[in-house]
């Protein structure tokens, strides 16, 4: 990693802390520059506006989560436990970064195209991870499926639908532990039913 890449990553790391604590709307570029003892001009050299910095922050979090998910599922023997791991780890990230992710929820269809693409790529990556788990189950004779990718996409759509129903009616997204625990439990039940059907 060269010096420019290191500076860029330092900015992203600082922005993650600010956005995670205060949210996107209550954080200014001046504050981020100040945290790093950096001039605003230098900050704007790397990120021309707050949305471009937010995009980089979002990508960084998603890459971290994808790496966690990929490494984690490889070590788990049964497909049900592997799917549960994906659900648990995903919830862990949502709770950790809810102030950052709330911008996505509250923006709805007004999200900039580059952020929409990041979200779509994240969903595709998560679907690939679940597909790899299902393929492993198929290869081991645990489940019977014709296409792991199609089966994973169907499960992902159902899980996303559950999240949408659980949180779409809340104008202010303040995570309540029991609300998230209830959603996670319901998602695990759905995954169990789905996997039983594939057996």
């Amino acid at each position: 990693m060269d010096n420019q890449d290191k500076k860029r990553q330092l900015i992203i790391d600082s922005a993650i802390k600010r956005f995670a604590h205060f949210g996107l709307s209550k954080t200014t570029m001046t504050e981020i520059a100040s945290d790093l003892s950096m001039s605003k001009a230098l900050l704007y050299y790397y990120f021309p506006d707050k949305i471009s910095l937010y995009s980089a922050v979002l990508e960084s979090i998603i890459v971290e989560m994808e790496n966690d998910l990929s490494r984690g599922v490889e070590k788990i023997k049964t497909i049900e436990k592997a799917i549960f791991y994906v659900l648990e780890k995903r919830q862990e990230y949502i709770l950790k970064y809810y102030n950052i992710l709330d911008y996505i929820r509250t923006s709805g269809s007004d999200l900039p195209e580059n952020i929409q693409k990041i979200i779509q790529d994240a969903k595709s990556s998560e679907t690939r991870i679940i597909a790899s788990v299902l393929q492993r189950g198929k290869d081991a004779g645990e489940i019977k499926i014709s296409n792991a990718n199609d089966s994973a996409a169907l499960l992902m759509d159902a899980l996303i639908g559950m999240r949408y129903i659980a949180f779409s009616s809340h104008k202010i997204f303040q995570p309540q532990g029991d609300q998230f625990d209830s959603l996670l439990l319901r998602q695990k039940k759905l995954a169990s039913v789905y996997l039983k059907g594939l057996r």
Side-chain angles (χ1 to χ4, degrees):
M1 190 182 279
D2 66 22
N3 200 37
Q4 278 201 329
D5 288 339
K6 283 179 185 172
K7 268 197 182 136
R8 187 176 188 279
Q9 192 57 52
L10 278 173
I11 295 167
I12 291 168
D13 292 343
S14 179
I16 286 173
K17 288 176 189 165
R18 276 266 172 196
F19 292 159
H21 189 72
F22 299 105
L24 180 67
S25 63
K26 292 182 181 173
T27 300
T28 67
M29 295 291 270
T30 303
E31 289 167 334
I32 293 167
S34 176
D35 289 344
L36 294 164
S37 302
M38 178 184 286
S39 71
K40 273 177 71 176
L42 185 56
L43 178 59
Y44 282 115
Y45 168 78
Y46 286 97
F47 298 100
D49 53 44
K50 195 161 59 166
I51 291 300
S52 65
L53 177 53
Y54 178 80
S55 298
V57 161
L58 195 58
E59 277 186 302
S60 179
I61 291 167
I62 287 167
V63 166
E64 181 188 339
M65 185 178 81
E66 287 169 358
N67 290 338
D68 269 0
L69 292 178
S70 296
R71 281 192 305 265
V73 296
E74 284 176 12
K75 300 172 188 171
I76 300 169
K77 302 287 183 209
T78 69
I79 57 171
E80 185 171 75
K81 285 184 180 173
I83 299 291
F84 285 3
Y85 174 84
V86 170
L87 296 174
E88 289 162 3
K89 188 56 73 172
R90 191 176 199 288
Q91 177 172 299
E92 184 183 307
Y93 273 85
I94 289 170
L95 286 169
K96 183 176 179 182
Y97 296 115
Y98 73 89
N99 268 340
I100 296 173
L101 301 173
D102 194 43
Y103 169 74
I104 295 167
R105 191 190 65 82
T106 56
S107 296
S109 59
D110 294 334
L111 280 170
E113 277 185 36
N114 63 326
I115 293 177
Q116 288 181 35
K117 184 179 182 318
I118 292 167
I119 294 164
Q120 188 54 49
D121 289 348
K123 182 189 173 194
S124 298
S125 173
E126 205 172 333
T127 303
R128 278 193 304 274
I129 291 166
I130 291 175
S132 72
V133 171
L134 296 179
Q135 185 63 50
R136 201 171 68 203
K138 178 185 178 182
D139 295 343
E142 242 186 290
I143 55 172
K144 295 174 184 174
I145 51 172
S146 56
N147 186 302
N149 292 324
D150 289 346
S151 298
L154 184 61
L155 179 58
M156 276 294 293
D157 286 346
L159 294 169
I160 289 168
M162 290 179 85
R163 286 195 292 267
Y164 178 78
I165 290 165
F167 298 116
S168 63
S169 61
H170 295 42
K171 289 189 176 160
I172 299 172
F173 184 49
Q174 289 297 330
Q176 304 294 322
D178 55 346
Q179 192 177 14
F180 275 96
D181 290 344
S182 173
L183 175 61
L184 180 60
L185 184 61
R186 286 167 54 81
Q187 287 181 325
K188 284 181 174 182
K189 282 181 182 174
L190 174 68
S192 288
V193 169
Y194 186 71
L195 292 173
K196 277 176 191 168
L198 297 180
R199 288 187 182 107

